[in-house]
Amino acid sequence: MRLDDERESSNIEDRRGSSGGGGGRSPIRIGSIGGLVLVLGALYFGVDPRLVMNLLEGGGTMTTSSGPTVAQQQGAPAGNDAQKQFISRVLASTEDVWTTYFQQMGRTYHDPRLVLFTGSVHSGCGYAQTAVGPFYCPADHKVYLDLAFFQELQGRLGAGGDFAKAYVVAHEIGHHVQNELGIMQQVENQKSGLSQTGEGGTSVRIELQADCFAGVWAKRANDAKSILQNGDIEEGMNAAAAVGDDRLQKQAQGYVVPDSFTHGSSAQRVQWFRRGLQTGDVNQCNTFSSSSL
């Protein structure tokens, strides 16, 4: 990616190295959509969402049985400073794209903040550990990211490269765009009758739309400043496929349970990310009006 000339965002909170655990830990208490967005990140790590639901209900700290995880890496490696700069530039690019897009719609875009942390963090949505994965909290309009996640993305999930990282950030910013457009609240209010999980469930539709919004950002950022290089799009598609529910479930447990999908299959995630990337049009990202995903 060509981001060397991109400005760095001022909306970064660096909490790396600070302790997010210990005494005074509180369970997450937020509305159902906010909780849903937080829970969905668990699938990035192949974590059973029921463990996260247990945390949401005050049932204790989420743990995994797959051995040491990046949640246990409490230090901030020196190399993360370069990653911080990269993420800051990606964030700045999303700010520019979405500010312009909202202005074209006659609306105002309010920049989110991105919080870097190590191990665990207290957010406006409560306490969370790295194993939940990157997440957006609608209660405080912030994205939370442990940079160690990118080691997991490249190592265990096989999705490396700068644009893979940018896709992750742009996806979480996509949730903020949903919040800014009132989509999350509409879903909460309408109670459309869709089940929360499953191939056509509410959570899948929310996630696929965020994938599409990530593609919209990439298309518009590239049109404006030619930020993409050869191989970048393939990296993004690979990252979208790597975090599909079917692939994660197959890797984690050896079989796939479509009724428990929360993010969408690899094919669906690639499809909707590609749609945004090809059209650059938010109106093409309405997963809630699509009968088939």
Side-chain angles (χ1 to χ4, degrees):
M1 295 186 70
R2 299 186 184 93
L3 292 176
D4 289 344
D5 296 330
E6 190 73 39
R7 68 178 178 87
E8 293 184 36
S9 173
S10 60
N11 291 305
I12 295 279
E13 293 181 25
D14 195 343
R15 302 186 197 173
R16 293 176 296 167
S18 64
S19 176
R25 179 184 304 175
S26 59
I28 298 168
R29 293 188 177 89
I30 50 179
S32 60
I33 289 298
L36 177 62
V37 171
L38 180 57
V39 169
L40 299 178
L43 267 295
Y44 277 117
F45 280 83
V47 174
D48 187 340
R50 291 172 296 182
L51 297 174
V52 189
M53 290 304 299
N54 186 48
L55 174 63
L56 288 170
E57 295 165 359
T61 303
M62 181 175 61
T63 60
T64 67
S65 58
S66 56
T69 72
V70 291
Q72 296 167 307
Q73 300 171 9
Q74 293 297 321
N80 277 354
D81 288 338
Q83 287 200 63
K84 176 185 176 182
Q85 184 180 59
F86 175 79
I87 295 305
S88 180
R89 287 174 174 169
V90 172
L91 181 62
S93 178
T94 67
E95 292 166 355
D96 293 344
V97 166
W98 290 115
T99 293
T100 299
Y101 200 99
F102 273 59
Q103 287 174 346
Q104 292 170 350
M105 293 189 294
R107 304 182 62 159
T108 300
Y109 178 71
H110 303 93
D111 294 340
R113 294 184 69 80
L114 190 150
V115 178
L116 299 176
F117 71 96
T118 52
S120 59
V121 68
H122 287 281
S123 74
C125 295
Y127 172 84
Q129 292 183 320
T130 296
V132 174
F135 68 93
Y136 171 73
C137 174
D140 59 17
H141 309 282
K142 295 180 180 180
V143 170
Y144 291 83
L145 170 66
D146 187 332
L147 292 175
F149 169 72
F150 293 131
Q151 300 172 22
E152 187 82 355
L153 185 66
Q154 180 170 354
R156 186 169 71 85
L157 302 182
D162 286 346
F163 195 56
K165 299 174 187 176
Y167 157 77
V168 171
V169 174
H171 172 91
E172 298 306 331
I173 296 300
H175 286 310
H176 178 68
V177 174
Q178 290 173 320
N179 204 18
E180 288 282 281
L181 292 175
I183 293 171
M184 288 185 176
Q185 192 59 52
Q186 290 173 16
V187 173
E188 174 75 2
N189 292 341
Q190 290 175 357
K191 304 292 185 183
S192 62
L194 292 170
S195 62
Q196 264 197 357
T197 58
E199 294 177 281
T202 302
S203 64
V204 168
R205 292 173 187 271
I206 288 174
E207 291 302 315
L208 294 180
Q209 186 176 65
D211 280 334
C212 189
F213 286 172
V216 170
W217 159 74
K219 162 72 171 170
R220 289 180 164 257
N222 191 56
D223 286 350
K225 297 186 178 181
S226 299
I227 65 170
L228 298 182
Q229 297 176 295
N230 290 337
D232 282 342
I233 292 177
E234 289 76 13
E235 288 178 2
M237 296 297 180
N238 186 38
V243 291
D245 285 328
D246 51 345
R247 185 174 297 186
L248 289 173
Q249 289 183 357
K250 183 70 172 179
Q251 185 180 57
Q253 61 195 23
Y255 57 92
V256 176
V257 184
D259 287 345
S260 69
F261 281 5
T262 58
H263 280 65
S265 68
S266 293
Q268 288 174 321
R269 302 203 67 171
V270 169
Q271 171 192 340
W272 284 93
F273 178 57
R274 181 185 287 116
R275 177 178 293 198
L277 189 59
Q278 290 176 339
T279 66
D281 184 2
V282 164
N283 295 319
Q284 298 299 314
C285 298
N286 191 349
T287 56
F288 294 93
S289 67
S290 179
S291 58
S292 61
L293 297 174

